[in-house]
Every structure is written in C-alpha cells, then in structure tokens.
Amino acid sequence: MKRSLVMSLIVAALALALALPLYAAAPKAPADGLTMKVPDGKKATKALVKFNHTKHVEAKCADCHHKKDAKGNEFARCDSKGCHDNFEAKQGKDSFYAAFHGTAPKSCLSCHKAKKEAKPNAPTACDKCHPKA
Ligand code: HEC
Ligand code: HEC
Ligand code: HEC
C-alpha cells in the first residue's frame, strides 16, 4: 500500500516535471493594438491594420496560426517566409492579399462575412480595417 503510494507520487512528480516546460514554451498572444505589417521591403498602399487578440478569443489559436514557419515557430507572422509572403499575387496560398481577403474560411474577411449577423462588430468594409488617415 505504502509502496504504491510512493510510486504514484514519483510518477506524478515526473509527469509534472515533463509538463512544466511545455507550459513555459507556449507563447502568449500579444497585447491588443498590434499593428500588422506588409512583407519586408514592400510598400503598403492602404493604412496598416490593427489586430486585437482579445476580440478573437472565440477562435482557436490554430484557426489563424495554422502552419509553422520555416523555423518551426507555431505563432509566426502571416507574412513569414514560405507562408503568405507573396505581396504581388492576389490569389493563391502564398498570396499576402488572399490570406486576409480571400475565400478560405479562416481569412479575416471570410470569417467576418460568415459571422456578420451574429457578430455585427466584425468589420467587412475596407475602411473599418484600413482606417482612413
Ligand atoms: C477584416 C479586415 C479587412 C478588411 C475589411 C479589408 N482588409 Fe485589406 N488587409 C487586411 C489585412 C489584415 C491586411 C494585411 C496587413 C496590412 O496590410 O495592414 C490587408 C492588406 C491589404 C492590402 C495589401 C497591403 C497594402 O496596403 O497594399 C490591400 C491592397 C488591401 N488590404 C485592400 C483592401 C480593400 C480594397 C478592402 C475593401 C474591399 C480591404 N482591404 C478590406 C484586412 C482587411
Ligand atoms: C483570428 C486570428 C487569430 C487568432 C485566433 C490568434 N491569433 Fe495570434 N496573431 C494573429 C495575427 C493577425 C497576428 C499578427 C501577425 C502578423 O502581423 O503577421 C498574430 C500574432 C501573434 C503573435 C506574434 C507573432 C510575431 O512573431 O510577431 C503571437 C505570439 C500570437 N499571435 C499568439 C497567439 C496565441 C497564443 C493565440 C491563441 C490564444 C492566438 N495568437 C490566436 C491572429 C490570430
Ligand atoms: C474565425 C473568425 C475570425 C477571423 C479569422 C478573424 N476575425 Fe476579426 N472578428 C471576429 C469576430 C466574431 C469579431 C467581433 C467580436 C466582437 O463582437 O466583439 C471580430 C472583430 C474584429 C474587429 C473589430 C474589433 C476590434 O478589434 O476593433 C477587427 C478590427 C477585426 N476583427 C480584425 C480582424 C483581422 C485583421 C483578421 C485577420 C488577420 C480577423 N479579424 C480575423 C472573427 C474573426
């Protein structure tokens, strides 16, 4: 009896020791007011979009952060190399523009359109995301 208790304690301690680094490694979503960027070296034609994680807690992290970047970062920027880094193309998986306005269900605009009735605060007009200066 006593022995199995000691064994369970050891097992529990080991499990905890293994699990702790996993928790420590999970990054937190950045604070609200994050200003998005265009790929390095490119020039934005519209006002840059501000993104607030606290307005998107209903979505799972992986709905948006759905692919690791080349360095294995799970929460990489959308425009990371090998992701949506093609600034010129308006369509296709690597298109920067399509990532946010395309028809894939996880693009900003697709989701907002789908939720328009239930969530009227999800903007679909250009200048609600790209505020006029
Ligand atoms: C739901 C939010 C949202 C809406 C609505 C939206 N966009 Fe965007 N758009 C983005 C995001 C996010 C980016 C990428 C980050 C950035 O450029 O700030 C982007 C980038 C762009 C870009 C490429 C970057 C640049 O500045 O040249 C263009 C062009 C653009 N949008 C045009 C439009 C137009 C035109 C409309 C209306 C038809 C529109 N967007 C509506 C979120 C939105
Ligand atoms: C609705 C979409 C969405 C959801 C859900 C979401 N994020 Fe994000 N996250 C973004 C966008 C957009 C950016 C800005 C990326 C960019 O500028 O390209 C970002 C940026 C980040 C960054 C900073 C990346 C960098 O290198 O600058 C981290 C870390 C992050 N998110 C973590 C999380 C975590 C953790 C969760 C879940 C709790 C989460 N995100 C949920 C869209 C989302
Ligand atoms: C999975 C669905 C989903 C995706 C993907 C999504 N959104 Fe939203 N977004 C919402 C919902 C729902 C709301 C309304 C939240 C509320 O009612 O408080 C919202 C609200 C917003 C708002 C208004 C609130 C605020 O923060 O000022 C902005 C701006 C916005 N989203 C930008 C974006 C951008 C930019 C992206 C893509 C990078 C994006 N969203 C992707 C669902 C989504």
Side-chain angles (χ1 to χ4, degrees):
M1 190 64 171
K2 220 173 169 192
R3 202 165 162 171
S4 65
L5 181 67
V6 170
M7 271 312 283
S8 342
L9 282 175
I10 292 174
V11 169
L14 273 175
L16 192 66
L18 285 173
L20 276 178
L22 288 180
Y23 283 114
K28 278 210 180 90
D32 280 359
L34 168 160
T35 302
M36 294 183 68
K37 297 186 184 97
V38 295
D40 284 344
K42 303 297 174 182
K43 233 180 140 215
T45 58
K46 308 278 290 173
L48 293 175
V49 174
K50 284 217 162 70
F51 180 80
N52 297 322
H53 277 85
T54 64
K55 299 282 180 189
H56 294 92
V57 286
E58 276 177 33
K60 291 197 189 78
C61 308
D63 288 345
C64 299
H65 300 281
H66 56 104
K67 195 182 165 217
K68 290 180 183 169
D69 72 0
K71 292 180 193 140
N73 179 3
E74 210 176 318
F75 299 102
R77 281 186 26 204
C78 313
D79 63 349
S80 300
K81 214 170 183 316
C83 300
H84 307 287
D85 58 349
N86 186 337
F87 191 64
E88 283 71 34
K90 293 287 180 229
Q91 281 174 30
K93 278 204 166 130
D94 65 346
S95 162
F96 180 73
Y97 184 86
F100 312 112
H101 316 81
T103 51
K106 45 183 174 263
S107 90
C108 315
L109 202 52
S110 273
C111 180
H112 287 187
K113 279 183 178 158
K115 295 203 185 284
K116 205 169 184 166
E117 274 181 21
K119 302 278 181 185
N121 291 334
T124 53
C126 310
D127 61 1
K128 283 283 176 338
C129 282
H130 301 279
K132 286 202 179 108

